[in-house]
Each structure stands twice: as C-alpha cells, then as structure tokens.
Amino acid sequence: LEQFGFLGIYGIGFVLAVAAGTLTLLPPRIACGAAVFLVGGLTLLTNLAPRAGSTGKSGHIDNKPLTVAGLQLEFPSALEVPALLDKLIQKVPQAELLILSEYTFDGPVPERVLAWCRANRRFLIAGGKRSEPGGDFCNTAFVVGPEGTVVFEQVKSVPIQFFKDGQPAKARQVWPSPWGKIGICICYDLSYTRVTDDFIRQEAQALIVPTMDVQEWGEHQHRLHSRVAPVRAAEYGIPIFRLASSGISQLVDRNGAVRARAPFGGEGEIIHGELVLAASGSKPVDRVLAPVSVG
C-alpha cells in the first residue's frame, strides 16, 4: 500500500476501474497483452519493500519510538485487571504505554487500577463508560497517567447502529502525549474517514484504537475488521496500534505493513512493539474527489 497510499483506497479503486474500462475498448489481442503488463507491473510495485529509515509523508525525521503493549481481554472482572497488568509488564518491562480494549470496564476506570498505574508509573489507555444525565452513557477511552489520575478522555464518535453503544462524541481532540499528538479512535470509528480525517487535521502523529470484537461474532468478522487499520495507516502515512478484545490486534507501521499481531480467539494474548510516531500525516487525494463522486 505504501506506493499507492497517497491516492486513498477509493482513489485506488477508481484508477483500477478506469484501467479495466480502458482495456475493454482495445482489440482483444492488444487488451490481453496490456492486461498482462498491467498486472505484472502492479505485482512488482506492491511487493517492493519499504525503504529502511524512510521519513514520513512530510519528509521530516520521526520522533523517538514509543514502546506499546496491549493485552487482549474480553469483559474481565475489574478485580483481576491489576494482576493481569502485572503479567503484561513482566512480559514487556520496557513498555511505556499499556493498552486495553474498548469496554474493559463497565464504568470509569476503577480506583484499584488507578492505584496500579500510580504504583507502577505507567500510562494506560482503557475503554469504559462515562455516565450521562438521564441514565445514558458515553463509550469512552480513558487515558490514565503515571500519577494515577485520568489525564485525557475520548468518546466514541460513531456508536454501532442498533446496539446499546452510548451517545456519540460531541467533539474530538488529539491527546498531547509525552511522545507526540495521538488520536484515539474507538473500534468502529476507524472505519469512518470523517472521524479519522479530523484527527489528521489536528496533526495526529499516530492512532490508537481500543476495539471490542466479541469472540462469538466469529473469525470471518474479525479478519474482515482487521483489514481497516493497514489501509488507514497507508492512506495517512501514520502508524496505528489496534487492540481488540479477542483479536485480531495489530501494530501497523505508517506504510500499512503489520509489524505485530495477536490472533483471533486469543484471550490473554499480548501484543507489543515500537510505535514510531510520524512527523505528521496527510489526507489522500481521493478525499477531494469524494463529494464530486457522491454528487
């Protein structure tokens, strides 16, 4: 995707459709030769390895890598989370930022987890609920700092239709983390460019995506959903760390290459690696064409 990410996924589809349509206008013998040449060229381009040490779309040098680690948990008991976090940092002691999934907690981050962050001097992003007037709630990603307090919150922008998934976010902001500007998408949000484009306008250098993909939804759903993050990373030129409750979790670099993953059905599986924040991202050109296409 690195070679064509600037076009955007819809732009790539448009180019392929034009190429296929053009082939139908040619005489059969010429069309067959042109098709072989086209497919061969695309195969060569899409299998070229990204250049080592390349810079982001802006051409600037990347920031210092951030070591992230996530633990796949599906509806855990709040009482067991501190012990599970102990196992996580035993496995990845160098981790600076820990990630848990959407809906890890059925409310705000419990005091015992805040105390754990304070005792272990770690940043944690975890999904939960923020109560709203009238008995409603907002599906929220909470960022807990090493002092054991919530330093940032982001509400889900696009609740799943026909689910009890809370009220939509009234606004989106990037988290001004110690490592750079990080956008936090919650699960379904990553599928909507009106959400992710907003983070890019705010100069997000990476996206973190706490996700709830229930195991009983099946492997096909998990595999289909896991295709979104590599596309978004390649479109914007920024890395993405996606932590799903039962898989498939992914660490994706800015070129759309999956550098680490945890499998479907992997309750308790750990994923970790270095998140190399880009200098900045940029929107692909197909965002300009989209309103015209809809019209």
Side-chain angles (χ1 to χ4, degrees), residues 156-269:
K156 189 174 188 176
S157 295
V158 188
I160 298 179
Q161 297 88 345
F162 311 114
F163 278 50
K164 189 175 181 181
D165 201 21
Q167 294 296 308
K170 297 178 181 177
R172 286 175 293 275
Q173 299 292 330
V174 294
W175 170 38
S177 79
W179 306 277
K181 296 179 180 179
I182 295 177
I184 301 176
C185 295
I186 301 178
C187 192
Y188 203 30
D189 287 351
L190 192 63
S191 297
Y192 285 84
T193 58
R194 63 181 171 85
V195 176
T196 50
D197 282 0
D198 192 13
F199 286 122
I200 297 304
R201 279 192 291 269
Q202 297 180 54
E203 300 181 338
Q205 298 167 264
L207 295 177
I208 290 179
V209 190
T211 298
M212 168 60 71
D213 272 358
V214 180
Q215 185 164 347
E216 67 180 24
W217 293 349
E219 184 174 1
H220 180 74
Q221 182 275 335
H222 286 69
R223 290 190 180 278
L224 185 63
H225 200 183
S226 71
R227 292 177 181 269
V228 179
V231 170
R232 288 286 176 263
E235 283 187 317
Y236 296 129
I238 63 174
I240 295 175
F241 186 82
R242 178 175 175 269
L243 194 284
S245 57
S246 61
I248 299 168
S249 299
Q250 301 157 296
L251 174 60
V252 186
D253 71 16
R254 63 175 175 234
N255 300 312
V258 179
R259 298 300 182 185
R261 60 188 285 134
F264 161 68
E267 178 78 9
E269 291 281 347

